[in-house]
Amino acid sequence: MAHIYTARYLVPVASPPVEGGALLVEGERIAAVGRFDEIVAQTAGAEVVDFGESVLLPPMANAHTHLELTDLPVWMEAGEGHLPEGGFVDWLLRVIIVKRQQPADVFPTSIRRGLDLCLEAGTGVIGDILSVTSAVDAYLHTPLLGTVFAELLGQEPQLFRQQLERTSSFLARRPAQHLNTGLSPHSPYTLGCRTLELAADSIAQHGCPASIHAAESAAESRLVRSGDGELAERIYPLAGWEDYLDGGCGLSVIAWLESCGLLRPGLLLVHGVQVDKEDVARIRRHGCGVVLCPRSNERLGVGRAPVDLYRQAGIPLALGTDSLASCDSLSVWDEMAATARIYGRELAPAEILHMATAGGAGMLGLDRVAGTLEPGKGAHFQVVAAPDGTGSRDLVAALVCDGERVRVRQLYLHGKARLQPESDA
């Protein structure tokens, strides 16, 4: 049976907001988008669902997160109770130690809770990083779309080859009906040039999606360029990698990734804070996209991404929440509000909303089925309470800038409601 979903406002993202808008949904697909009166006049026998003072818009796309770390705050409570107040390396060291202390059986529970939090925040698309691949069955029943990336790290080539062999079985099957698999070489500070080359070869061989943390901190840039600094002094001894400190390559992080053969069309570069014009030109030349994580960057004090340079170069941009190790929530609504606060001079509200929806969906290879509300796409949309005192002209600005106060009333994925109905009380 066909359904017409209507509310005070419809925000397709691909086109301007529509007051009194509606979606015609047939099965798991959107059949029509437009004004409610026009769709009703052209449709016979459809059931009407009216959400009243609400907004219909695409679900959020969280293009970079670590759901296996959702329960890290709980694990912290059992230990020291908090993350350190120092910089990036202090934070990284503590997360590594706490994660190592956890038994393998806690990670599926953490992932499932993260999946639930994503749905509650109106998220329909994820790019999730999974290091504990034995926990992959935790995704089995989720309706979320996107990609789960198996995390790769290491310096010793032979051990890394064995790691790649183990990931072959992971890549061979979907974690869930609507989730793809990919590979995520962790970062330039946890892989060497040879292991990055092996990762690049594997990505090309499998033809799979790929993501990497890149140019996040000054410590990372220093390690790559000169082979020393805090990461060399504190993280490498912990991992037993002292013998792989080679004095650096004299290149920027992005230039080094290029020299290792990792940059390629569709690669997700996560963070992208420590870059210059030449790096942005490289990113554009190779057809990569950048996932910004403003709240995480702010929390860890690593700086601001050069958003103006990215925009001028036409680099695809998306948003990610990173994990609860560095953010207070997995809500892309919260991430949008932070983006507006931090990058409000460079990015218009409509651009930020695009990054949080169509941008993330497109970078995860889902632009034909999600990210915007258009005929032929999947019946994926969220329903949020309409901001008070807002008209259609300033609706997007109100949604984006006050995102942390937005209340998600319902989320539809594949034509089905995924949240418990709101109480009438």
Side-chain angles (χ1 to χ4, degrees):
M1 181 180 185
H3 291 80
I4 297 174
Y5 298 94
T6 186
R8 181 178 178 186
Y9 296 111
L10 172 73
V11 181
V13 172
S15 54
V18 179
E19 190 163 1
L23 299 173
L24 172 62
V25 172
E26 296 177 351
E28 296 186 9
R29 293 286 168 185
I30 296 173
V33 177
R35 289 185 53 81
F36 173 71
D37 52 1
E38 294 172 352
I39 289 179
V40 167
Q42 299 169 9
T43 307
E47 178 181 341
V48 174
V49 180
D50 189 347
F51 285 100
E53 290 295 308
S54 299
V55 182
L56 307 182
L57 74 162
M60 297 290 108
N62 190 345
H64 178 76
T65 189
H66 298 258
L67 298 184
E68 67 186 11
L69 296 179
T70 301
D71 282 341
L72 185 131
V74 177
W75 306 335
M76 291 297 303
E77 287 178 6
E80 294 184 9
H82 62 86
L83 286 166
E85 293 300 323
F88 174 76
V89 177
D90 293 309
W91 168 84
L92 178 63
L93 188 64
R94 185 66 185 136
V95 170
I96 291 171
I97 292 172
V98 171
K99 186 180 176 186
R100 282 185 174 183
Q101 293 171 343
Q102 307 311 312
D105 59 4
V106 306
F107 293 102
T109 300
S110 188
I111 291 168
R112 284 191 288 269
R113 196 167 80 85
L115 293 168
D116 288 343
L117 290 174
C118 287
L119 294 172
E120 291 169 11
T123 296
V125 176
I126 58 170
D128 191 30
I129 308 298
L130 179 65
S131 66
V132 186
T133 54
S134 60
V136 67
D137 286 346
Y139 302 91
L140 189 59
H141 301 295
T142 185
L144 287 164
L145 301 90
T147 300
V148 179
F149 298 91
E151 188 170 80
L152 305 168
L153 56 83
Q155 300 281 347
E156 204 286 313
Q158 186 54 41
L159 292 177
F160 195 78
R161 288 188 183 94
Q162 295 172 11
Q163 186 180 167
L164 288 172
E165 290 174 6
R166 291 193 297 271
T167 62
S168 294
S169 59
F170 170 84
L171 293 171
R173 70 179 183 93
R174 289 175 173 267
Q177 183 178 357
H178 304 288
L179 289 176
N180 299 313
T181 54
L183 293 176
S184 178
H186 176 262
S187 71
Y189 58 86
T190 54
L191 292 96
C193 191
R194 183 59 189 135
T195 52
L196 272 172
E197 289 171 345
L198 291 170
D201 290 344
S202 184
I203 291 164
Q205 175 187 344
H206 291 286
C208 64
S211 174
I212 184 171
H213 303 85
E216 180 178 6
S217 70
E220 173 192 339
S221 296
R222 178 171 174 175
L223 179 74
V224 170
R225 191 178 297 276
S226 58
D228 57 9
E230 274 197 283
L231 287 167
E233 295 165 2
R234 302 178 65 191
I235 301 300
Y236 271 53
L238 181 66
W241 291 341
E242 298 99 316
D243 292 343
Y244 294 95
L245 293 169
D246 57 6
C249 64
L251 299 174
S252 72
V253 167
I254 300 301
W256 186 61
L257 293 177
E258 181 182 49
S259 72
C260 296
L262 192 71
L263 300 187
R264 63 193 58 236
L267 174 69
L268 276 65
L269 295 167
V270 180
H271 298 298
V273 174
Q274 309 292 328
V275 301
D276 57 22
K277 287 185 178 181
E278 289 74 20
D279 291 327
V280 171
R282 292 183 181 96
I283 292 169
R284 179 182 180 181
R285 183 164 62 247
H286 290 281
C288 308
V290 175
V291 182
L292 303 179
C293 303
R295 287 188 298 159
S296 178
N297 297 158
E298 185 176 58
R299 161 69 175 81
L300 301 179
V302 297
R304 299 170 76 255
V307 169
D308 262 349
L309 293 180
Y310 290 137
R311 289 176 71 250
Q312 291 166 17
I315 305 297
L317 297 175
L319 292 179
T321 64
D322 219 326
S323 74
L324 292 189
S326 59
C327 283
D328 294 331
S329 78
L330 297 176
S331 170
V332 181
W333 284 102
D334 291 349
E335 206 68 42
M336 282 203 301
T339 304
R341 174 174 54 80
I342 297 169
Y343 296 110
R345 292 185 178 181
E346 295 99 329
L347 295 168
E351 292 177 289
I352 297 173
L353 180 60
H354 185 277
M355 290 163 58
T357 54
M363 287 173 61
L364 291 166
L366 296 169
D367 50 302
R368 294 185 178 182
V369 297
T372 61
L373 303 181
E374 298 179 80
K377 289 197 171 184
H380 315 303
F381 60 96
Q382 60 179 313
V383 185
V384 304
D388 293 335
T390 301
S392 58
R393 289 185 178 181
D394 54 354
L395 175 63
V396 171
L399 290 170
V400 169
C401 298
D402 293 331
E404 72 272 12
R405 289 191 284 273
V406 166
R407 178 168 57 89
V408 177
R409 299 184 58 191
Q410 188 53 270
L411 173 67
Y412 284 79
L413 297 176
H414 318 288
K416 297 181 180 178
R418 302 297 173 172
L419 303 181
Q420 290 294 324
E422 290 184 323
S423 171
D424 292 332

